[in-house]
Amino acid sequence: MVVAEQPRPRRMRADARRNQERLLAAADAAFAARGTDASLEEIARAAGVANGTLYGHFPTRQALLEALLRERMDALAGRAAELAAGTEPFEGLRRWIDAAVDHATRYRGLSAACLRALEDETSELYAACHALLGAAGQLVARTRAAGELRADVTERDVFTLVSAVAWAVGEGTRDQADRLLASALAGMRAAGTAGNRPESR
């Protein structure tokens, strides 16, 4: 039996690759300055290409975000496995939440975009955001099994917390956001564990 050769993926032309690189650089600058709602037309103009070229490479805003953040999101998802293997359960969860907040604050509105993508299977961010949700779930389950996390805390709660802290960073100060995060983490701890024990009088 002869197996037909699979067609090789077509290589991107050099000019198309340069256009894509310029678009990604312009999008990174625009999203960092104005958030994920920055004008796509302005991004195309800053990259020196027509709107049609932008949409040819990135049909939607979510596709552009996914291309910009793919490696960072993959690394953040993989970080959960590293922390699960090398840290105490609650400390691992705390460190991952810190890393997730750092990721979410790269662009204002990013965490909200990821929360929306979780409910939209057509979004280019759907798979990556679900991978992050799964990473959070891995650490939540481990911490709960160790008796260090309240039984009612879920990975969705963790995502909501990351979103809230990212919003606080954008609207206030990092110190304020850190206090919010510390208070929320203390509230998530199981009663009687370190960090959630009433002080002796």
Side-chain angles (χ1 to χ4, degrees), residues 56-73:
H57 284 283
F58 308 108
T60 67
R61 185 179 300 274
Q62 291 74 28
L64 183 52
L65 279 168
E66 193 277 336
L68 276 171
L69 297 169
R70 184 180 303 138
E71 290 184 6
R72 289 174 177 270
M73 295 178 86

Side-chain angles (χ1 to χ4, degrees), residues 125-194:
L125 286 171
Y126 179 83
C129 292
H130 268 275
L132 293 183
L133 186 66
Q138 174 186 1
L139 292 170
V140 165
R142 176 176 180 255
T143 310
R144 189 188 297 124
E148 297 181 20
L149 194 68
R150 282 172 34 185
D152 59 344
V153 174
T154 69
E155 56 267 37
R156 292 272 181 166
D157 295 332
V158 169
F159 252 51
T160 302
L161 173 60
V162 168
S163 183
V165 174
W167 179 88
V169 170
E171 299 298 321
T173 67
R174 187 63 198 237
D175 286 346
Q176 181 185 42
D178 287 344
R179 289 196 303 273
L180 170 65
L181 179 57
S183 295
L185 287 171
M188 286 181 170
R189 277 189 179 272
T193 59

